[in-house]
Amino acid sequence: MGMGPALQGGPEEGTAPAWRPGRRRFLGACAGLGLASVTAAACDTAAPSPEQHRAAVSHRPEAERDRPGTPEWRITSRGPAPAIAGYADRVSVTPGEECGLHVSTTASSFRVSAFRVGWYGGAQARLVWSSERIRGRAQPEPRFLPGTRTVLADWPRTLALGTAGWPEGAYLLRLEADSGHQRYVPLIVRSTHGTGRTVLIHAPATWQAYNRWGGYSLYAGASGAYAARSLAVSFDRPYDADGAEKFMVYERAAVVLAERLGIPLAYTTGTDVHHDPEVLRGAAAVVCLGHDEYWTPEQRRHVTQARDAGTNVLFLGANTCFRRVRLEPGDTQPARTVVCYKSSLRADPCYTTQPALVTTDFRQDPAPDPESSLTGVLYEGYPTDAAYVVHAADHWLYEGTGVRPGDGFDHLVGVEYDRVTPTSPTPEPLEITAHSPLVCDGRRSHSDSAYYTTPSGAGVFATGTMRWVEALMAGTPDGGRHHGMDARTRDFVTRTTENAMRAFAEGPAARHRPAVRPNASEVYRDRT
C-alpha cells in the first residue's frame, strides 16, 4: 500500500526519504525577597513546622489546583531582540535544587519573576517567587563552532536561582528590564517519582531544534538555507521569539487542563527520561504534548518499557518520536547539546561504529525503527489544513461530545499530521477513531486518530494532528495561532482530552474501558 504524500521532515526542511517497509508541560507581588547573595527565595517565607515540612516533601502539584493565580504572567512588551534575553544552565531541576540564570540586557537593571503554570481558577499561572532589582549588562557576542555550526552564548552566570519550596511543575521565568521589555526562560521543576500519577513529558529537545537564536537551528543557517543548518544545537543560549514559544503553543494549554482535572500529576522532560526512567515506574499514564519530535533511543526505550509494564500513553500531537538524536555535554553541564545530522547522516561520527545512535529519522537506515511501533501512527507530511472527521463516534474517548459518524471540525488537522500506515509496524489490536481526508503537497491522503491496547493492559491514544493542544484554547484570547478553529472545536477537543486523561489516570485502560474494535484493514481497504 502506498505511503501517500512524500514523507517530510518539518516545515523548513523539505522532503525526507521514506522508510523501507519491513525494517525499522498569585500570591501577589513578592518583589524584594532575598537576593542577598543573588540566590532566589520562595514567596512563602513563614518557616514550616516539622509536620508541614514532611507533608510538603513530595512537592506534588495537586494542592496547587485552586490556589489564587495572577493574570500578570503574560508578556506585554517584547521589545527588540537585544532588550533582554536569558537562559538557564539546566533544562530542569528537582524542588530545592539550584540553577543559574545567564542574562543579557541593554537596560541598567532587570527583575526575574517565577510563574508556575497551572489552573489557578482560570488565571493559568501563580507567582511563586520574584527577585529584587538586578544589575544589567549586555553580554558578549555568542561563540560559533564551525564544525557543527553550533551557536553558544557562553555568558557568565548572572544569578543563582534556588527553588526551595517550589512545587513540581512547568515554570515561566519572566525577565523584565527596567525599560519594560520582557522575555521568558522556561524551566521544569521535575518530579522524581511518578507512581500512580500522570506524567507530563515536556519536549526541550524539540524546543531547541527549532530555536534560531544566534541565526542557526537544526533547520536553517544564518542564510536561511537548510544546507547551512546546525548539526548540533546547544541549550547554552536563549530561545528566540518570546523565549518560550514552543512551550506556549504546544504544551501550556494541556498543562492547564490536566491541573484543572485534579488528577495526580508528575512533571519531567524527554531529556530527563533519557537519563533516568524512574519517574515512569508505576506511572498511571504518560502524556507526550503537542510537538515532541526529537527523541533519543534511550527515551524511546524507557517510554516503551513503561507502556509494556501497564502505563497508558497519550500522544497529543503529531510528528512524535520522528527524529533520533544524541545528547552530548556542553562546556559545564552534561546533556547540553542536541545532535541531529538528519540527511547528513553519513557525516555523523557514529555512522560506521554505532549505527543505532546515528542521528537521523527513526525510520531511516542504518538502523530503521519506525515510530509507529510505539505511537500506532506514522508521520506522513507537511503542510496541510483539513477538517478532523470522526469515524468511531461511539468510542468511549468521544463520550459526552455529542458527535456522530462523519462529523467534522474545520482546521483541526494540521500543520503536520500522522496516519495509520498498514505497511509500517502497527500495534494490534488498533482502532481508528477519526479518519480525516486531506491534501498535502498536492496529494490526497488521510490523518488518523488511533487507539490501541497492549497485553499489559496499557491503552495508547494518538491524536494524529499537531493542532490538538492549540485547539484547547481556540476561540479564546489565549488562542493565539488558532488557525481558524472555533469554540465548537475547542469544546470537542477539551472533552475528548478530559476523557482520555481521566481514564488513563485510573490505570491500565484495557482493564476498565471497552475493548478495541480493530478496523484498520476495513478503513484502508482499497485505499492508499
Side-chain angles (χ1 to χ4, degrees):
M1 190 171 295
M3 290 293 294
L7 294 166
Q8 298 188 10
E12 294 85 2
E13 177 174 347
T15 302
W19 166 74
R20 296 202 305 272
R23 302 185 60 179
R24 30 217 332 121
R25 174 192 241 246
F26 181 54
L27 286 181
C30 296
L33 291 182
L35 261 182
S37 59
V38 291
T39 300
C43 277
D44 297 333
T45 56
S49 68
E51 293 77 13
Q52 289 171 323
H53 176 75
R54 284 192 294 270
V57 163
S58 71
H59 298 277
R60 289 171 63 150
E62 288 87 326
E64 288 285 305
R65 179 184 184 275
D66 295 316
R67 296 191 71 171
T70 175
E72 303 304 320
W73 58 269
R74 295 167 176 84
I75 284 179
T76 56
S77 175
R78 190 186 298 179
I84 190 161
Y87 62 93
D89 60 18
R90 294 174 184 264
V91 166
S92 71
V93 294
T94 55
E97 191 175 11
E98 181 183 282
C99 70
L101 278 182
H102 304 248
V103 180
S104 179
T105 179
T106 55
S108 59
S109 65
F110 68 96
R111 295 179 185 270
V112 185
S113 300
F115 296 95
R116 184 185 180 279
V117 175
W119 171 238
Y120 301 114
Q124 303 180 37
R126 177 172 76 88
L127 180 62
V128 172
W129 171 83
S130 183
S131 76
E132 294 179 332
R133 183 173 287 110
I134 302 163
R135 184 176 179 179
R137 60 168 291 193
Q139 302 285 5
E141 289 296 308
R143 183 157 58 101
F144 184 71
L145 305 181
T148 53
R149 297 185 289 274
T150 302
V151 176
L152 304 96
D154 269 353
W155 297 340
R157 178 185 276 199
T158 307
L159 72 152
L161 190 71
T163 60
W166 294 24
E168 300 162 2
Y171 285 76
L172 293 169
L173 308 178
R174 193 182 67 190
L175 312 177
E176 183 168 5
D178 59 11
S179 62
H181 300 315
Q182 302 161 325
R183 289 291 192 287
Y184 290 131
V185 176
L187 180 70
I188 305 302
V189 178
R190 72 180 184 273
S191 312
T192 56
H193 297 88
T195 302
R197 300 156 77 178
T198 294
V199 182
L200 304 183
I201 301 184
H202 297 276
T206 299
W207 305 348
Q208 196 56 252
Y210 285 86
N211 179 19
R212 292 200 60 183
W213 189 92
Y216 288 80
S217 73
L218 290 180
Y219 291 86
S223 67
Y226 171 69
R229 73 196 182 282
S230 295
L231 303 176
V233 287
S234 174
F235 286 108
D236 290 323
R237 59 176 181 157
Y239 291 104
D240 58 4
D242 67 6
E245 182 187 28
K246 291 294 182 283
F247 170 82
M248 295 290 286
V249 173
Y250 294 114
E251 303 188 6
R252 177 177 61 93
V255 172
V256 173
L257 183 147
E259 294 219 346
R260 178 173 59 78
L261 293 179
I263 59 177
L265 295 174
Y267 287 84
T268 192
T269 74
T271 57
D272 291 301
V273 171
H274 160 90
H275 290 294
D276 184 5
E278 181 61 31
V279 71
L280 305 182
R281 195 180 310 279
V286 165
V287 180
C288 298
L289 300 162
H291 192 189
D292 195 357
E293 179 178 351
Y294 290 77
W295 290 40
T296 66
E298 294 85 351
Q299 177 187 350
R300 179 171 175 175
R301 182 171 66 251
H302 294 156
V303 172
T304 301
Q305 289 170 345
R307 178 202 65 179
D308 293 346
T311 296
N312 303 303
V313 187
L314 181 57
F315 296 104
L316 291 181
N319 190 221
T320 303
C321 192
F322 181 66
R323 307 282 191 188
R324 182 196 290 119
V325 302
R326 283 196 309 278
L327 299 176
E328 295 183 349
D331 290 343
T332 60
Q333 296 284 350
R336 294 294 290 176
T337 304
V338 180
V339 180
C340 194
Y341 279 71
K342 298 187 181 181
S343 55
S344 300
L345 69 164
R346 286 176 176 79
D348 190 321
C350 290
Y351 186 77
T352 57
T353 58
Q354 295 177 286
L357 296 182
V358 170
T359 55
T360 186
D361 305 346
F362 269 105
R363 66 186 70 174
Q364 300 274 76
D365 286 332
D369 185 15
E371 70 275 12
S372 56
S373 64
L374 172 61
T375 62
V377 292
L378 198 74
Y379 172 65
E380 189 169 83
Y382 160 94
T384 196
D385 179 279
Y388 180 96
V389 180
V390 174
H391 183 76
D394 59 345
H395 198 280
W396 63 264
L397 282 158
Y398 301 139
E399 181 180 349
T401 64
V403 294
R404 298 179 180 179
D407 281 356
F409 297 87
D410 291 345
H411 311 294
L412 180 52
V413 175
V415 59
E416 297 183 281
Y417 69 95
D418 300 336
R419 62 169 273 190
V420 172
T421 307
T423 54
S424 70
T426 305
E428 293 287 352
L430 178 142
E431 182 174 1
I432 293 173
T433 65
H435 186 58
S436 308
L438 57 83
V439 176
C440 181
D441 197 26
R443 302 183 185 181
R444 297 187 181 278
S445 188
H446 291 81
S447 169
D448 296 316
S449 291
Y451 172 72
Y452 75 87
T453 57
T454 69
S456 68
V460 180
F461 178 57
T463 67
T465 172
M466 195 180 288
R467 290 183 181 163
W468 193 268
V469 172
E470 292 182 87
L472 293 171
M473 290 189 179
T476 73
D478 283 314
R481 296 162 43 183
H482 51 71
H483 310 287
M485 294 183 291
D486 57 15
R488 173 175 170 268
T489 297
R490 180 186 72 238
D491 292 345
F492 166 76
V493 171
T494 298
R495 180 56 188 264
T496 303
T497 308
E498 290 172 349
N499 289 342
M501 286 189 174
R502 285 193 172 112
F504 283 9
E506 295 175 19
R511 300 178 185 172
H512 56 81
R513 287 298 186 273
V516 172
R517 302 165 296 187
N519 64 355
S521 59
E522 174 188 348
V523 169
Y524 276 101
R525 183 181 297 129
D526 301 324
R527 296 183 185 177
T528 59

